[in-house]
Amino acid sequence: MSTVVENRTVGQVMTSEVVQARPDTSFEELARMLIAHRISGLPVVDDDDKVMGVVSRKDLARQQGCLGRHESGRQRMAHTLRRPADAHSVAGPALAAGELMTSPAVTVHPEQRVADAARIMERRHVDRLPVVDEEDRLIGITTRRDLLRAFLRTDEEILADVADAVSGRAPAAHRIDGLRIDVRDGMVTMVGSSEPALDTAALIRVTWRVDGVVGVVNRLTTGRESDH
């Protein structure tokens, strides 16, 4: 299993047909594209197909924050599409993709390993990565779901391997009171109270080495910290 994961590349799991926008794509058109294609974000490219940034539903929702704090991003976009054409005269000029996008975009190359791309996603807090060639031109896109599917591992399988890896550092692991390990979508969360002298960083490192792990949340505290 680990050999399969290690050999998988972004180019093997990416989507080649990418829904994309230009810098002058309007807010309304962006909303239509996201809803029509049932996607949460898309890249913005220039005339040479070079990635300038990424627009997500969250970006659009922030722009439409005045429509109601309790509405979801999808509800806000749907509300926008139902508005009369002259609504901007009341709310002010709408922004285009070039102003709404998050830039610069976090990108990857097709030859990069799936495991590395998954870790980039987690560390940079993004759900999608435009895939670019050697000249930074857009050739595909990969999502968190694409990468997690490539691991072909359930959270239960990952949890079992993480538990084995951590227990293998005994007696260190035995000096953590109430150690709890949770795994969700490849993200490992470790909770517990350890002795002040324990090197918890070593436990985090061995956890990172387990196939299928895309991120580690360290909520381990020392005995002193838990007393306050």
Side-chain angles (χ1 to χ4, degrees), residues 27-46:
F27 182 101
E28 287 80 2
E29 183 59 25
L30 289 169
R32 288 190 185 94
M33 294 164 73
L34 293 177
I35 291 174
H37 294 279
R38 298 182 179 183
I39 55 178
S40 61
L42 51 81
V44 180
V45 300
D46 62 16

Side-chain angles (χ1 to χ4, degrees), residues 22-122:
R22 299 290 178 178
D24 59 353
T25 301
S26 68
F27 182 101
E28 287 80 2
E29 183 59 25
L30 289 169
R32 288 190 185 94
M33 294 164 73
L34 293 177
I35 291 174
H37 294 279
R38 298 182 179 183
I39 55 178
S40 61
L42 51 81
V44 180
V45 300
D46 62 16
D47 292 337
D48 292 324
D49 286 334
K50 292 187 177 181
V51 180
M52 302 174 62
V54 172
V55 172
S56 69
R57 285 183 179 175
K58 290 181 181 179
D59 294 325
L60 301 192
R62 277 195 294 268
Q63 172 66 10
Q64 292 299 101
C66 60
L67 294 179
R69 294 181 180 179
H70 300 294
E71 290 183 309
S72 69
R74 178 182 287 271
Q75 289 173 325
R76 292 179 184 178
M77 286 189 290
H79 182 104
T80 296
L81 296 180
R82 292 194 300 268
R83 288 187 306 172
D86 62 352
H88 291 309
S89 62
V90 177
L95 300 179
E99 298 163 297
L100 291 164
M101 68 184 184
T102 298
S103 181
V106 182
T107 62
V108 291
H109 294 280
E111 67 273 12
Q112 287 184 251
R113 297 188 314 143
V114 162
D116 293 334
R119 287 176 178 131
I120 290 172
M121 274 190 185
E122 195 55 48

Side-chain angles (χ1 to χ4, degrees), residues 49 140 160 176 200:
D49 286 334
I176 300 179
T200 56

Side-chain angles (χ1 to χ4, degrees), residues 183-199:
V183 182
R184 183 175 181 181
D185 293 337
M187 168 64 69
V188 178
T189 300
M190 304 182 72
V191 181
S193 177
S194 68
E195 297 178 6
L198 177 63
D199 182 12

